[in-house]
Amino acid sequence: MKRHSDIYSKIYDFANLESAYRKARRGKRYFNEVMKYSENVEIELYNLHNHLVWKTYKQGNYRHFIVTEPKRRQISALPFRDRVAQHAINTMLEPLFDKRFYYHSYACREGKGTHRASAQLKQWLRNMTFEGKPVYALKADISNYFATVDHEILKKLIRRVIKCPDTLWLCDLIIDSGSEDGRGIPVGNLTSQLFANVYLDALDKFIKEDLCEKYYIRYMDDFVILSHDKRELKDTWRKIEGVLNDELKLKLNPKTCILNTKNGVDFCGYRHFTDYKRVRRRSVRAMYRKVAAFERGKISKENFLLSLKSWLGHIQHADTYSLRRRMFQRIRGQPKE
């Protein structure tokens, strides 16, 4: 396996930093922090360039906040200067790792995403059903994944691809800044998305190359394996648990199960059936709660309409004509479809 060197100078190249700045400010250029940085952008970028060149770069402090959709979790946000640095790093490292990743890993990769993952799973379900046999799914995810990534294992996995010592110094600095106990990468870091895929690529290779599972799909720490043989899936489950525990120091979520796909497979925000798919019930309940909150005056009309627009964009990828009709009937002052 080829290992890459001479990467660090490309990271701190001024043209790369300038491009990283434009990526980091996308959709946020009118935020106070971004406008302040942009007032003296050349000076800021030269300072960042010099700190990287002389390896005096130190990451700023995280700002932590809680989000509740689609589930409750803590997000860690870096100062804008550090987000620029992470875009510069990601631009150079992501292509080197991405070409080694399993094709049907869909999270945080260009040309992938939730909708393509959903479409692929639905296609597999349809194709397997045509064989006239029951189809079973091992539905699994990693328990508390981002918080339990082992730093030393992650560093070893990165070193399988990268041998540039300065780049490894920078990666180690970012990894170690996430916690003090040698475990966990912050949800919210751009590099965390890449590192999370690097970490679970070892699981992908085990499932595809050692277990030879044909119908395996992953979206970050959430994955599905399809088979006509329920006993085979039980054996696969046991072997996956062994590899996660022994080699990656991870555990499967207790909700991991084997199910008959005729009852639907919950994945990437949808429940997938052979020839149609529905939206998760919790997504529908969450939208009804927002309607009620809007009617009671607890959220503004502007925020409510933004939420509604986002939700409608999500559900349009499923069979939801009746659902949309009921929702519009529920919203005061909205036309009935």
Side-chain angles (χ1 to χ4, degrees), residues 293-304:
F294 170 61
E295 291 174 343
R296 292 195 300 268
K298 292 190 174 181
I299 59 176
S300 68
K301 182 177 181 180
E302 181 182 6
N303 287 337
F304 171 70

Side-chain angles (χ1 to χ4, degrees), residues 206-217:
F206 172 73
I207 293 174
K208 289 301 296 182
E209 296 174 7
D210 291 24
L211 302 183
C212 300
E213 292 293 344
K214 182 177 181 181
Y215 299 108
Y216 163 62
I217 190 168

Side-chain angles (χ1 to χ4, degrees), residues 1 43 148 152 312 319 323:
M1 180 185 291
I43 294 175
T148 53
E152 292 307 312
L312 290 173
D319 300 278
L323 173 61

